[in-house]
Amino acid sequence: MTVLGEAMAHGTPVVAADVGGIGGMLKHSGCLVPLFAPPEEWAGAVRSITADRDTYEFLSDACFDRCAADISWDRWAQAIVDMAWQVTADRFERDLKAAICT
């Protein structure tokens, strides 16, 4: 799990650079800032999360819920098992077709 996932697991809203798959991971659980944003923009993102208690609590709950639903070790392990089964099934199907066609 990434540091973002760890923060979200503890209900901490995240402010992160908008790079890679970070936006998909956050999904309304924090703020994205352009990678080369000036410090004032980062400060504004933190302020937007912490200025209002209701906003902070909403984002905190959203982080926790998102992490519990999609970003946990159990979900990671299940994804690995699913991929392994898919690879095995694809290989079996390919080998079966090869055996039938020969």
Side-chain angles (χ1 to χ4, degrees), residues 11-23:
T12 304
V14 175
V15 176
D18 189 8
V19 296
I22 302 294

Side-chain angles (χ1 to χ4, degrees), residues 11-15 27-31 44-64:
T12 304
V14 175
V15 176
K27 288 188 181 177
H28 313 297
S29 303
C31 289
V46 172
R47 193 176 311 111
S48 72
I49 289 174
T50 59
D52 178 60
R53 183 179 183 90
D54 290 336
T55 299
Y56 184 85
E57 287 179 0
F58 173 81
L59 290 173
S60 180
D61 290 344
C63 284
F64 186 80

Side-chain angles (χ1 to χ4, degrees), residues 85-99:
W85 277 111
Q86 187 61 50
V87 167
T88 302
D90 291 347
R91 183 172 293 149
F92 176 76
E93 183 178 344
R94 185 183 66 234
D95 292 347
L96 182 61
K97 286 180 182 177

